[in-house]
Amino acid sequence: MKFYKKEGNTAHVIAFPDEEAERGDYLLIEDQANGRGLIAQVIDVQFVNLPGVLEDLLRDTMTEGSVEGEDEDPFGVSSQVAYLKDARLLVCKIRGAIDGGRLLAHAPWLPSRIGSSVRRLSVEDLIRDGSLKRPIRLGRTKSGREVVIDAKGLDGKLNIIMGRKGTGKSHFSKLLLLNLMRHGAPCLVLDINGEYVNLGRDWDGRPNEFSDRIMVLRPGVDKFDIKGIGLRTMMEILLHALDLPPTSAKVFANMWKELALRDALSLGSIWTAIQCWSCHESVREALASRYHALAESGVFGDEGGMDFDEVAKWLQGGNSVVVNMRNKSSLARRILVELFLGKLTELLSDHALRAIFLFAEEAHLYLGNTYWDDVVTRMRHLGIFATFITNQPETIREGIYRQADNIFLFNFANDHDLDFVSKTAKLDAESVKLLVSGLPDRHCLSIGEAVRNFPLIFEVDRLSVDTLGQTRHFFDD
């Protein structure tokens, strides 16, 4: 391979037919005179546009099979011409540089055309920085090299997993979840479709290493004690999930405080207070409608229900909690999301929990109805490290994308989705569109701090656990 030219952040490299290179590969354009080099990633492979090649190809086509006799080529020119016809132009984006063994984010110099060499770089040379204390194996590159990151690359970070339906997003999120558990990280999963409930079992149904470390909560069956919710969290539910007007919210707050002083908090006592409280009739109607929504959600109960202190103790042991929201109404989901966000914020603020990794499956279904922007903005201070999983990238607000530390992209075939993703990912739009559109299923483009800001394509590892979530088919072939 030979370095051809550089335009802005784009480098062009010529590769000959016997030199393999594909989208996503990394190259080192090394200036041998001074030991400096550019790190470039191949984003597209084209044929070299040589003068006269088109005419030569047309001429070959026209004369093929119509001219009899044997070709005389004593100097072997035709073989060289055929070799040049298949020469490829590698369009690359410069991702960094190496100077005296040091890795740099930018390259202020231009390598020599004559005195430089081009070679492929291995994954390990890029994303590994010394030994990994908490290794997480993600998968393999097309060359068979393992892709291993450190769990520290996810710690304190905001992660987004995106891709169209059926490309392997949820499978990848489960891989991250189980590996974080191996390193003792507490995790909470907002599970929309009930895909995470069997992670404690292998495909054959036998318990695995995670069987006694995953607590599955089933709202409607497992109810939370209304006394343990707290006024602050309940107000967040009423305001953000149920759109209670501020005036009615003030009345409810006074009602709650009085019942708490009398140690009489229960669903029944709240309903009685709503009926008897001295307030405007419109306020009473607003409170009554919200009360019925709370009661019908099946989330809350009176004495004997679950307490968040128990959940906090479970999480502190490096375990996971899966909130199974399958078959719950959209209103019940919003209530549950606000409930857990509110209580987690409270527990973390009181140092009852050190930190937690939050996995929000099908995040597009409830992100618009919560105060996620506030949580994401303060997440590093609170100790909530969120991973959003979605197949509708445009439903997540741009403010969240701007703060994302790691983005894991699976295939998008829709041009509208690609346009949106290319605007929000911390990568140039051209690279995103070219690299993501050609990804096979279960192949991922990783962008961000977990891979040391070197975009990387790999095939995601398979899991031996019962992941559920597969698309159901009628025809079994």
Side-chain angles (χ1 to χ4, degrees):
M1 286 184 275
K2 295 293 294 182
F3 174 51
Y4 170 45
K5 67 176 181 177
K6 175 181 176 292
E7 296 178 351
N9 199 40
T10 304
H12 292 82
V13 173
I14 297 173
F16 296 99
D18 56 348
E19 297 172 322
E20 293 185 5
E22 296 182 13
R23 287 183 183 178
D25 288 351
Y26 275 92
L27 306 175
L28 177 62
I29 306 171
E30 191 172 18
D31 204 330
Q32 296 174 340
N34 51 34
R36 299 186 300 187
L38 299 182
I39 300 173
Q41 185 180 29
V42 180
I43 64 167
D44 198 16
V45 181
Q46 306 171 0
F47 282 110
V48 175
N49 188 18
L50 296 172
V53 168
L54 178 60
E55 291 85 349
D56 203 26
L57 288 172
L58 291 172
R59 192 179 301 111
D60 288 346
T61 304
M62 293 174 63
T63 59
E64 211 170 59
S66 61
V67 178
E68 297 181 358
E70 296 182 1
D71 292 333
E72 291 289 339
D73 187 17
F75 299 104
V77 174
S78 62
S79 61
Q80 294 182 19
V81 172
Y83 191 72
L84 290 175
K85 286 179 184 178
D86 268 345
R88 289 162 172 78
L89 180 69
L90 309 181
V91 181
C92 310
K93 289 292 181 180
I94 297 171
R95 306 297 188 203
I98 294 177
D99 186 4
R102 294 181 299 116
L103 198 60
L104 305 177
H106 303 284
W109 66 85
L110 183 66
S112 166
R113 274 180 171 174
I114 301 172
S116 64
S117 62
V118 182
R119 63 181 175 87
R120 295 175 66 177
L121 274 178
S122 68
V123 174
E124 289 80 359
D125 294 337
L126 294 174
I127 68 172
R128 287 193 180 180
D129 184 15
S131 60
L132 301 177
K133 294 181 179 179
R134 304 171 188 85
I136 293 180
R137 175 174 156 165
L138 302 181
R140 289 181 177 273
T141 62
K142 66 176 183 352
S143 62
R145 305 295 291 270
E146 289 187 356
V147 177
V148 183
I149 64 170
D150 198 302
K152 193 68 178 176
L154 305 175
D155 189 18
K157 305 297 190 293
L158 170 62
N159 311 303
I160 301 177
I161 303 173
M162 295 186 291
R164 62 180 174 81
K165 183 178 65 175
T167 53
K169 303 182 306 300
S170 296
H171 181 93
F172 183 68
S173 71
K174 292 163 191 170
L175 183 147
L176 292 181
L177 169 69
L178 295 178
N179 276 284
L180 285 170
M181 287 180 63
R182 283 194 176 101
H183 296 296
C187 302
L188 175 73
V189 183
L190 301 175
D191 185 6
I192 291 289
N193 299 315
E195 299 179 27
Y196 293 73
V197 297
N198 276 4
L199 292 181
R201 295 186 176 277
D202 288 333
W203 279 108
D204 56 9
R206 291 185 296 179
N208 57 32
E209 59 181 299
F210 308 104
S211 61
D212 57 351
R213 296 184 56 197
I214 299 176
M215 176 192 294
V216 179
L217 299 180
R218 300 163 296 167
V221 177
D222 303 312
K223 297 179 184 291
F224 287 94
D225 189 348
I226 196 75
K227 290 182 180 180
I229 300 303
L231 177 58
R232 178 181 171 181
T233 301
M234 183 56 73
M235 292 299 290
E236 298 288 359
I237 293 172
L238 292 172
L239 290 169
H240 296 288
L242 301 179
D243 299 319
L244 182 67
T247 304
S248 302
K250 291 179 182 178
V251 174
F252 182 86
N254 293 331
M255 192 184 302
W256 181 284
K257 291 175 183 176
E258 182 171 320
L259 291 173
L261 282 174
R262 292 193 278 121
D263 194 25
L265 265 178
S266 68
L267 287 172
S269 65
I270 292 174
W271 175 242
T272 302
I274 290 173
Q275 292 177 309
C276 303
W277 201 265
S278 177
C279 61
H280 194 274
E281 196 61 30
S282 62
V283 173
R284 194 185 317 281
E285 289 177 2
L287 291 174
S289 65
R290 271 61 175 193
Y291 170 83
H292 289 306
L294 291 173
E296 291 169 5
S297 70
V299 175
F300 306 103
D302 292 328
E303 293 184 7
M306 289 205 56
D307 194 293
F308 266 95
D309 289 336
E310 300 173 21
V311 176
K313 288 178 182 177
W314 176 262
L315 289 169
Q316 273 190 330
N319 301 313
S320 291
V321 172
V322 175
V323 185
N324 184 6
M325 296 190 283
R326 185 179 183 182
N327 299 328
K328 303 301 291 183
S329 67
S330 59
L331 182 61
R333 288 181 197 145
R334 293 202 299 270
I335 292 172
L336 283 164
V337 170
E338 292 296 345
L339 170 63
F340 277 90
L341 278 180
K343 290 306 295 184
L344 285 176
T345 302
E346 186 179 311
L347 291 167
L348 290 163
S349 300
D350 296 339
H351 300 286
L353 272 178
R354 181 179 176 183
I356 190 166
F357 292 83
L358 174 66
F359 287 79
E361 183 71 40
E362 304 288 357
H364 56 273
L365 294 177
Y366 44 78
L367 274 178
N369 301 287
T370 64
Y371 61 115
W372 283 102
D373 283 344
D374 181 49
V375 172
V376 168
T377 302
R378 298 184 296 127
M379 59 174 258
R380 287 174 177 82
H381 307 288
L382 288 171
I384 299 177
F385 313 138
T387 298
F388 299 137
I389 304 103
T390 182
N391 59 12
Q392 298 181 28
E394 73 281 359
T395 59
I396 299 179
R397 297 168 187 168
E398 287 193 28
I400 294 178
Y401 283 112
R402 292 192 192 101
Q403 298 182 68
D405 300 289
N406 296 299
I407 296 181
F408 301 98
L409 289 174
F410 290 77
N411 180 272
F412 276 112
N414 186 290
D415 288 339
H416 173 73
D417 289 335
L418 281 171
D419 287 338
F420 187 87
V421 170
S422 64
K423 293 176 185 176
T424 55
K426 293 181 179 179
L427 192 63
D428 61 282
E430 185 182 9
S431 294
V432 171
K433 290 182 178 180
L434 288 172
L435 294 176
V436 173
S437 61
L439 286 177
D441 289 349
R442 293 186 61 248
H443 283 68
C444 175
L445 170 64
S446 177
I447 306 167
E449 296 184 25
V451 289
R452 301 184 68 197
N453 295 309
F454 288 103
L456 188 64
I457 294 175
F458 57 89
E459 182 181 5
V460 177
D461 273 347
R462 296 185 181 274
L463 292 171
S464 61
V465 301
D466 188 1
T467 56
L468 298 177
Q470 294 89 355
T471 302
R472 184 181 299 181
H473 297 283
F474 174 76
F475 300 106
D476 58 9
D477 58 347

